[in-house]
PDB file of all heavy atoms in Angstrom:
ATOM      1  N   ARG A 221     -10.325 119.563 -32.668  1.00  0.00           N
ATOM      2  CA  ARG A 221     -10.929 120.878 -32.930  1.00  0.00           C
ATOM      3  C   ARG A 221      -9.939 121.952 -32.872  1.00  0.00           C
ATOM      4  O   ARG A 221     -10.019 122.942 -33.649  1.00  0.00           O
ATOM      5  CB  ARG A 221     -12.045 121.154 -31.971  1.00  0.00           C
ATOM      6  CG  ARG A 221     -13.371 120.303 -32.079  1.00  0.00           C
ATOM      7  CD  ARG A 221     -14.542 120.708 -31.107  1.00  0.00           C
ATOM      8  NE  ARG A 221     -15.621 119.828 -31.101  1.00  0.00           N
ATOM      9  CZ  ARG A 221     -15.822 118.831 -30.126  1.00  0.00           C
ATOM     10  NH1 ARG A 221     -15.033 118.835 -29.086  1.00  0.00           N
ATOM     11  NH2 ARG A 221     -16.984 118.123 -30.186  1.00  0.00           N
ATOM     12  N   LYS A 222      -9.125 121.938 -31.883  1.00  0.00           N
ATOM     13  CA  LYS A 222      -8.255 123.213 -31.544  1.00  0.00           C
ATOM     14  C   LYS A 222      -6.844 122.927 -31.963  1.00  0.00           C
ATOM     15  O   LYS A 222      -5.916 123.668 -31.519  1.00  0.00           O
ATOM     16  CB  LYS A 222      -8.261 123.422 -29.999  1.00  0.00           C
ATOM     17  CG  LYS A 222      -9.663 123.690 -29.475  1.00  0.00           C
ATOM     18  CD  LYS A 222      -9.513 123.947 -27.911  1.00  0.00           C
ATOM     19  CE  LYS A 222     -10.830 124.225 -27.263  1.00  0.00           C
ATOM     20  NZ  LYS A 222     -10.711 124.408 -25.820  1.00  0.00           N
ATOM     21  N   ASP A 223      -6.532 121.881 -32.770  1.00  0.00           N
ATOM     22  CA  ASP A 223      -5.191 121.560 -33.253  1.00  0.00           C
ATOM     23  C   ASP A 223      -4.252 121.438 -32.101  1.00  0.00           C
ATOM     24  O   ASP A 223      -3.073 122.006 -32.199  1.00  0.00           O
ATOM     25  CB  ASP A 223      -4.738 122.632 -34.282  1.00  0.00           C
ATOM     26  CG  ASP A 223      -5.636 122.551 -35.569  1.00  0.00           C
ATOM     27  OD1 ASP A 223      -5.909 121.416 -36.094  1.00  0.00           O
ATOM     28  OD2 ASP A 223      -5.891 123.656 -36.032  1.00  0.00           O
ATOM     29  N   LEU A 224      -4.594 120.705 -31.083  1.00  0.00           N
ATOM     30  CA  LEU A 224      -3.650 120.456 -29.948  1.00  0.00           C
ATOM     31  C   LEU A 224      -2.574 119.509 -30.192  1.00  0.00           C
ATOM     32  O   LEU A 224      -1.620 119.406 -29.397  1.00  0.00           O
ATOM     33  CB  LEU A 224      -4.435 120.267 -28.694  1.00  0.00           C
ATOM     34  CG  LEU A 224      -5.483 121.271 -28.275  1.00  0.00           C
ATOM     35  CD1 LEU A 224      -6.219 120.894 -26.989  1.00  0.00           C
ATOM     36  CD2 LEU A 224      -4.691 122.667 -27.942  1.00  0.00           C
ATOM     37  N   GLY A 225      -2.650 118.636 -31.214  1.00  0.00           N
ATOM     38  CA  GLY A 225      -1.746 117.605 -31.438  1.00  0.00           C
ATOM     39  C   GLY A 225      -2.018 116.361 -30.608  1.00  0.00           C
ATOM     40  O   GLY A 225      -2.821 116.495 -29.706  1.00  0.00           O
ATOM     41  N   ASN A 226      -1.269 115.235 -30.867  1.00  0.00           N
ATOM     42  CA  ASN A 226      -1.391 114.026 -30.149  1.00  0.00           C
ATOM     43  C   ASN A 226      -2.819 113.503 -29.985  1.00  0.00           C
ATOM     44  O   ASN A 226      -3.192 112.980 -28.883  1.00  0.00           O
ATOM     45  CB  ASN A 226      -0.682 114.092 -28.705  1.00  0.00           C
ATOM     46  CG  ASN A 226       0.661 114.484 -28.867  1.00  0.00           C
ATOM     47  OD1 ASN A 226       1.500 114.004 -29.766  1.00  0.00           O
ATOM     48  ND2 ASN A 226       1.169 115.293 -27.927  1.00  0.00           N
ATOM     49  N   VAL A 227      -3.637 113.686 -30.988  1.00  0.00           N
ATOM     50  CA  VAL A 227      -4.963 113.265 -30.894  1.00  0.00           C
ATOM     51  C   VAL A 227      -5.042 111.756 -30.744  1.00  0.00           C
ATOM     52  O   VAL A 227      -5.759 111.273 -29.796  1.00  0.00           O
ATOM     53  CB  VAL A 227      -5.730 113.653 -32.207  1.00  0.00           C
ATOM     54  CG1 VAL A 227      -7.300 113.350 -32.005  1.00  0.00           C
ATOM     55  CG2 VAL A 227      -5.516 115.136 -32.561  1.00  0.00           C
ATOM     56  N   GLU A 228      -4.444 111.041 -31.547  1.00  0.00           N
ATOM     57  CA  GLU A 228      -4.549 109.556 -31.483  1.00  0.00           C
ATOM     58  C   GLU A 228      -4.027 109.028 -30.092  1.00  0.00           C
ATOM     59  O   GLU A 228      -4.612 108.117 -29.535  1.00  0.00           O
ATOM     60  CB  GLU A 228      -3.642 108.895 -32.562  1.00  0.00           C
ATOM     61  CG  GLU A 228      -4.122 108.973 -33.997  1.00  0.00           C
ATOM     62  CD  GLU A 228      -3.804 110.400 -34.753  1.00  0.00           C
ATOM     63  OE1 GLU A 228      -3.055 111.174 -34.108  1.00  0.00           O
ATOM     64  OE2 GLU A 228      -4.210 110.417 -35.885  1.00  0.00           O
ATOM     65  N   ASP A 229      -2.864 109.598 -29.556  1.00  0.00           N
ATOM     66  CA  ASP A 229      -2.342 109.215 -28.251  1.00  0.00           C
ATOM     67  C   ASP A 229      -3.414 109.302 -27.205  1.00  0.00           C
ATOM     68  O   ASP A 229      -3.652 108.506 -26.318  1.00  0.00           O
ATOM     69  CB  ASP A 229      -1.204 110.017 -27.842  1.00  0.00           C
ATOM     70  CG  ASP A 229       0.002 109.693 -28.888  1.00  0.00           C
ATOM     71  OD1 ASP A 229      -0.046 108.752 -29.596  1.00  0.00           O
ATOM     72  OD2 ASP A 229       1.032 110.462 -28.783  1.00  0.00           O
ATOM     73  N   ALA A 230      -4.151 110.546 -27.326  1.00  0.00           N
ATOM     74  CA  ALA A 230      -5.218 110.769 -26.289  1.00  0.00           C
ATOM     75  C   ALA A 230      -6.369 109.715 -26.281  1.00  0.00           C
ATOM     76  O   ALA A 230      -6.766 109.154 -25.328  1.00  0.00           O
ATOM     77  CB  ALA A 230      -5.760 112.170 -26.459  1.00  0.00           C
ATOM     78  N   TYR A 231      -6.843 109.431 -27.546  1.00  0.00           N
ATOM     79  CA  TYR A 231      -7.933 108.420 -27.675  1.00  0.00           C
ATOM     80  C   TYR A 231      -7.457 107.026 -27.232  1.00  0.00           C
ATOM     81  O   TYR A 231      -8.188 106.332 -26.533  1.00  0.00           O
ATOM     82  CB  TYR A 231      -8.330 108.299 -29.192  1.00  0.00           C
ATOM     83  CG  TYR A 231      -9.321 109.411 -29.725  1.00  0.00           C
ATOM     84  CD1 TYR A 231      -8.951 110.755 -29.511  1.00  0.00           C
ATOM     85  CD2 TYR A 231     -10.512 109.054 -30.300  1.00  0.00           C
ATOM     86  CE1 TYR A 231      -9.879 111.742 -29.924  1.00  0.00           C
ATOM     87  CE2 TYR A 231     -11.428 110.024 -30.604  1.00  0.00           C
ATOM     88  CZ  TYR A 231     -11.076 111.441 -30.570  1.00  0.00           C
ATOM     89  OH  TYR A 231     -11.968 112.395 -30.907  1.00  0.00           O
ATOM     90  N   GLN A 232      -6.176 106.694 -27.587  1.00  0.00           N
ATOM     91  CA  GLN A 232      -5.655 105.324 -27.107  1.00  0.00           C
ATOM     92  C   GLN A 232      -5.535 105.284 -25.645  1.00  0.00           C
ATOM     93  O   GLN A 232      -5.867 104.185 -25.030  1.00  0.00           O
ATOM     94  CB  GLN A 232      -4.220 105.122 -27.828  1.00  0.00           C
ATOM     95  CG  GLN A 232      -3.564 103.806 -27.524  1.00  0.00           C
ATOM     96  CD  GLN A 232      -4.412 102.669 -28.039  1.00  0.00           C
ATOM     97  OE1 GLN A 232      -5.196 102.723 -28.977  1.00  0.00           O
ATOM     98  NE2 GLN A 232      -4.356 101.541 -27.270  1.00  0.00           N
ATOM     99  N   GLU A 233      -5.119 106.417 -25.044  1.00  0.00           N
ATOM    100  CA  GLU A 233      -5.022 106.451 -23.515  1.00  0.00           C
ATOM    101  C   GLU A 233      -6.305 106.210 -22.932  1.00  0.00           C
ATOM    102  O   GLU A 233      -6.407 105.454 -21.923  1.00  0.00           O
ATOM    103  CB  GLU A 233      -4.390 107.795 -23.166  1.00  0.00           C
ATOM    104  CG  GLU A 233      -4.130 107.976 -21.686  1.00  0.00           C
ATOM    105  CD  GLU A 233      -3.089 106.995 -21.096  1.00  0.00           C
ATOM    106  OE1 GLU A 233      -2.242 106.550 -21.797  1.00  0.00           O
ATOM    107  OE2 GLU A 233      -3.200 106.778 -19.799  1.00  0.00           O
ATOM    108  N   VAL A 234      -7.429 106.866 -23.479  1.00  0.00           N
ATOM    109  CA  VAL A 234      -8.680 106.746 -22.846  1.00  0.00           C
ATOM    110  C   VAL A 234      -9.193 105.229 -23.019  1.00  0.00           C
ATOM    111  O   VAL A 234      -9.597 104.589 -21.986  1.00  0.00           O
ATOM    112  CB  VAL A 234      -9.784 107.656 -23.609  1.00  0.00           C
ATOM    113  CG1 VAL A 234     -11.186 107.322 -23.182  1.00  0.00           C
ATOM    114  CG2 VAL A 234      -9.496 109.105 -23.378  1.00  0.00           C
ATOM    115  N   LEU A 235      -8.896 104.623 -24.181  1.00  0.00           N
ATOM    116  CA  LEU A 235      -9.235 103.283 -24.457  1.00  0.00           C
ATOM    117  C   LEU A 235      -8.507 102.307 -23.428  1.00  0.00           C
ATOM    118  O   LEU A 235      -9.138 101.509 -22.762  1.00  0.00           O
ATOM    119  CB  LEU A 235      -8.974 102.820 -25.935  1.00  0.00           C
ATOM    120  CG  LEU A 235      -9.049 101.318 -26.177  1.00  0.00           C
ATOM    121  CD1 LEU A 235     -10.481 100.819 -25.994  1.00  0.00           C
ATOM    122  CD2 LEU A 235      -8.672 100.909 -27.538  1.00  0.00           C
ATOM    123  N   GLN A 236      -7.198 102.540 -23.252  1.00  0.00           N
ATOM    124  CA  GLN A 236      -6.412 101.674 -22.364  1.00  0.00           C
ATOM    125  C   GLN A 236      -6.904 101.846 -20.936  1.00  0.00           C
ATOM    126  O   GLN A 236      -6.983 100.844 -20.205  1.00  0.00           O
ATOM    127  CB  GLN A 236      -4.917 102.154 -22.433  1.00  0.00           C
ATOM    128  CG  GLN A 236      -4.076 101.040 -22.901  1.00  0.00           C
ATOM    129  CD  GLN A 236      -2.725 101.528 -23.438  1.00  0.00           C
ATOM    130  OE1 GLN A 236      -2.270 102.694 -23.021  1.00  0.00           O
ATOM    131  NE2 GLN A 236      -2.231 100.886 -24.356  1.00  0.00           N
ATOM    132  N   ARG A 237      -7.139 103.027 -20.478  1.00  0.00           N
ATOM    133  CA  ARG A 237      -7.561 103.260 -19.053  1.00  0.00           C
ATOM    134  C   ARG A 237      -8.887 102.621 -18.812  1.00  0.00           C
ATOM    135  O   ARG A 237      -9.149 101.944 -17.740  1.00  0.00           O
ATOM    136  CB  ARG A 237      -7.577 104.729 -18.689  1.00  0.00           C
ATOM    137  CG  ARG A 237      -6.347 105.433 -18.630  1.00  0.00           C
ATOM    138  CD  ARG A 237      -6.452 106.716 -17.874  1.00  0.00           C
ATOM    139  NE  ARG A 237      -5.274 107.486 -18.188  1.00  0.00           N
ATOM    140  CZ  ARG A 237      -5.084 108.852 -17.759  1.00  0.00           C
ATOM    141  NH1 ARG A 237      -6.040 109.251 -16.871  1.00  0.00           N
ATOM    142  NH2 ARG A 237      -4.082 109.488 -18.042  1.00  0.00           N
ATOM    143  N   ILE A 238      -9.810 102.683 -19.808  1.00  0.00           N
ATOM    144  CA  ILE A 238     -11.158 102.028 -19.616  1.00  0.00           C
ATOM    145  C   ILE A 238     -11.083 100.499 -19.564  1.00  0.00           C
ATOM    146  O   ILE A 238     -11.569  99.866 -18.673  1.00  0.00           O
ATOM    147  CB  ILE A 238     -12.092 102.478 -20.756  1.00  0.00           C
ATOM    148  CG1 ILE A 238     -12.519 103.946 -20.544  1.00  0.00           C
ATOM    149  CG2 ILE A 238     -13.412 101.612 -20.793  1.00  0.00           C
ATOM    150  CD1 ILE A 238     -13.393 104.525 -21.597  1.00  0.00           C
ATOM    151  N   LEU A 239     -10.201  99.966 -20.559  1.00  0.00           N
ATOM    152  CA  LEU A 239     -10.048  98.490 -20.503  1.00  0.00           C
ATOM    153  C   LEU A 239      -9.495  98.014 -19.207  1.00  0.00           C
ATOM    154  O   LEU A 239      -9.961  97.086 -18.592  1.00  0.00           O
ATOM    155  CB  LEU A 239      -9.207  98.066 -21.707  1.00  0.00           C
ATOM    156  CG  LEU A 239      -9.830  98.280 -23.129  1.00  0.00           C
ATOM    157  CD1 LEU A 239      -8.958  97.876 -24.081  1.00  0.00           C
ATOM    158  CD2 LEU A 239     -11.194  97.525 -23.214  1.00  0.00           C
ATOM    159  N   GLN A 240      -8.321  98.723 -18.732  1.00  0.00           N
ATOM    160  CA  GLN A 240      -7.582  98.366 -17.451  1.00  0.00           C
ATOM    161  C   GLN A 240      -8.693  98.435 -16.369  1.00  0.00           C
ATOM    162  O   GLN A 240      -8.627  97.529 -15.452  1.00  0.00           O
ATOM    163  CB  GLN A 240      -6.478  99.293 -17.293  1.00  0.00           C
ATOM    164  CG  GLN A 240      -5.187  98.654 -17.751  1.00  0.00           C
ATOM    165  CD  GLN A 240      -4.062  99.718 -17.750  1.00  0.00           C
ATOM    166  OE1 GLN A 240      -4.212 100.833 -17.164  1.00  0.00           O
ATOM    167  NE2 GLN A 240      -3.070  99.472 -18.534  1.00  0.00           N
ATOM    168  N   THR A 241      -9.366  99.561 -16.212  1.00  0.00           N
ATOM    169  CA  THR A 241     -10.231  99.708 -15.086  1.00  0.00           C
ATOM    170  C   THR A 241     -11.268  98.618 -14.957  1.00  0.00           C
ATOM    171  O   THR A 241     -11.644  98.171 -13.897  1.00  0.00           O
ATOM    172  CB  THR A 241     -10.848 101.196 -15.181  1.00  0.00           C
ATOM    173  OG1 THR A 241      -9.806 102.149 -15.162  1.00  0.00           O
ATOM    174  CG2 THR A 241     -11.720 101.463 -13.947  1.00  0.00           C
ATOM    175  N   ILE A 242     -11.937  98.441 -16.193  1.00  0.00           N
ATOM    176  CA  ILE A 242     -13.014  97.442 -16.150  1.00  0.00           C
ATOM    177  C   ILE A 242     -12.497  96.053 -15.939  1.00  0.00           C
ATOM    178  O   ILE A 242     -13.035  95.236 -15.125  1.00  0.00           O
ATOM    179  CB  ILE A 242     -13.884  97.625 -17.364  1.00  0.00           C
ATOM    180  CG1 ILE A 242     -14.613  98.976 -17.340  1.00  0.00           C
ATOM    181  CG2 ILE A 242     -14.856  96.509 -17.565  1.00  0.00           C
ATOM    182  CD1 ILE A 242     -15.317  99.513 -18.534  1.00  0.00           C
ATOM    183  N   GLU A 243     -11.325  95.741 -16.501  1.00  0.00           N
ATOM    184  CA  GLU A 243     -10.779  94.395 -16.299  1.00  0.00           C
ATOM    185  C   GLU A 243     -10.377  94.211 -14.787  1.00  0.00           C
ATOM    186  O   GLU A 243     -10.719  93.208 -14.162  1.00  0.00           O
ATOM    187  CB  GLU A 243      -9.424  94.382 -17.142  1.00  0.00           C
ATOM    188  CG  GLU A 243      -8.600  93.122 -16.910  1.00  0.00           C
ATOM    189  CD  GLU A 243      -9.315  91.899 -17.372  1.00  0.00           C
ATOM    190  OE1 GLU A 243     -10.280  92.008 -18.180  1.00  0.00           O
ATOM    191  OE2 GLU A 243      -8.902  90.755 -16.960  1.00  0.00           O
ATOM    192  N   GLN A 244      -9.879  95.232 -14.164  1.00  0.00           N
ATOM    193  CA  GLN A 244      -9.622  95.242 -12.654  1.00  0.00           C
ATOM    194  C   GLN A 244     -10.873  94.908 -11.929  1.00  0.00           C
ATOM    195  O   GLN A 244     -10.863  94.147 -11.046  1.00  0.00           O
ATOM    196  CB  GLN A 244      -9.009  96.537 -12.344  1.00  0.00           C
ATOM    197  CG  GLN A 244      -8.389  96.615 -10.941  1.00  0.00           C
ATOM    198  CD  GLN A 244      -7.311  95.638 -10.737  1.00  0.00           C
ATOM    199  OE1 GLN A 244      -6.309  95.647 -11.496  1.00  0.00           O
ATOM    200  NE2 GLN A 244      -7.317  94.836  -9.745  1.00  0.00           N
ATOM    201  N   GLN A 245     -12.028  95.689 -12.306  1.00  0.00           N
ATOM    202  CA  GLN A 245     -13.204  95.563 -11.573  1.00  0.00           C
ATOM    203  C   GLN A 245     -13.701  94.142 -11.735  1.00  0.00           C
ATOM    204  O   GLN A 245     -14.188  93.503 -10.741  1.00  0.00           O
ATOM    205  CB  GLN A 245     -14.300  96.448 -12.199  1.00  0.00           C
ATOM    206  CG  GLN A 245     -14.343  97.830 -11.643  1.00  0.00           C
ATOM    207  CD  GLN A 245     -15.373  98.667 -12.265  1.00  0.00           C
ATOM    208  OE1 GLN A 245     -15.998  98.262 -13.270  1.00  0.00           O
ATOM    209  NE2 GLN A 245     -15.429  99.907 -11.908  1.00  0.00           N
ATOM    210  N   ASN A 246     -13.597  93.589 -12.917  1.00  0.00           N
ATOM    211  CA  ASN A 246     -14.070  92.208 -13.140  1.00  0.00           C
ATOM    212  C   ASN A 246     -13.237  91.162 -12.301  1.00  0.00           C
ATOM    213  O   ASN A 246     -13.810  90.294 -11.716  1.00  0.00           O
ATOM    214  CB  ASN A 246     -14.015  91.783 -14.563  1.00  0.00           C
ATOM    215  CG  ASN A 246     -14.953  92.584 -15.480  1.00  0.00           C
ATOM    216  OD1 ASN A 246     -15.898  93.172 -14.914  1.00  0.00           O
ATOM    217  ND2 ASN A 246     -14.771  92.561 -16.760  1.00  0.00           N
ATOM    218  N   GLN A 247     -11.913  91.361 -12.148  1.00  0.00           N
ATOM    219  CA  GLN A 247     -11.091  90.575 -11.375  1.00  0.00           C
ATOM    220  C   GLN A 247     -11.479  90.636  -9.871  1.00  0.00           C
ATOM    221  O   GLN A 247     -11.629  89.622  -9.212  1.00  0.00           O
ATOM    222  CB  GLN A 247      -9.676  90.884 -11.577  1.00  0.00           C
ATOM    223  CG  GLN A 247      -8.972  90.083 -12.618  1.00  0.00           C
ATOM    224  CD  GLN A 247      -7.506  90.542 -12.837  1.00  0.00           C
ATOM    225  OE1 GLN A 247      -6.902  91.182 -12.014  1.00  0.00           O
ATOM    226  NE2 GLN A 247      -6.991  90.254 -14.027  1.00  0.00           N
ATOM    227  N   ASN A 248     -11.639  91.843  -9.495  1.00  0.00           N
ATOM    228  CA  ASN A 248     -12.097  92.136  -7.975  1.00  0.00           C
ATOM    229  C   ASN A 248     -13.323  91.303  -7.697  1.00  0.00           C
ATOM    230  O   ASN A 248     -13.473  90.686  -6.636  1.00  0.00           O
ATOM    231  CB  ASN A 248     -12.284  93.607  -7.723  1.00  0.00           C
ATOM    232  CG  ASN A 248     -10.865  94.323  -7.771  1.00  0.00           C
ATOM    233  OD1 ASN A 248      -9.905  93.689  -7.853  1.00  0.00           O
ATOM    234  ND2 ASN A 248     -11.026  95.591  -7.727  1.00  0.00           N
TER     235      ASN A 248
END
Side-chain angles (χ1 to χ4, degrees):
R221 290 189 186 101
K222 300 180 182 175
D223 294 318
L224 298 178
N226 299 324
V227 187
E228 286 84 1
D229 294 347
Y231 279 55
Q232 182 58 34
E233 181 65 24
V234 172
L235 174 62
Q236 238 156 32
R237 288 197 202 180
I238 287 176
L239 292 180
Q240 264 168 17
T241 302
I242 292 172
E243 176 63 22
Q244 188 63 53
Q245 274 177 356
N246 292 344
Q247 267 178 21
N248 291 348

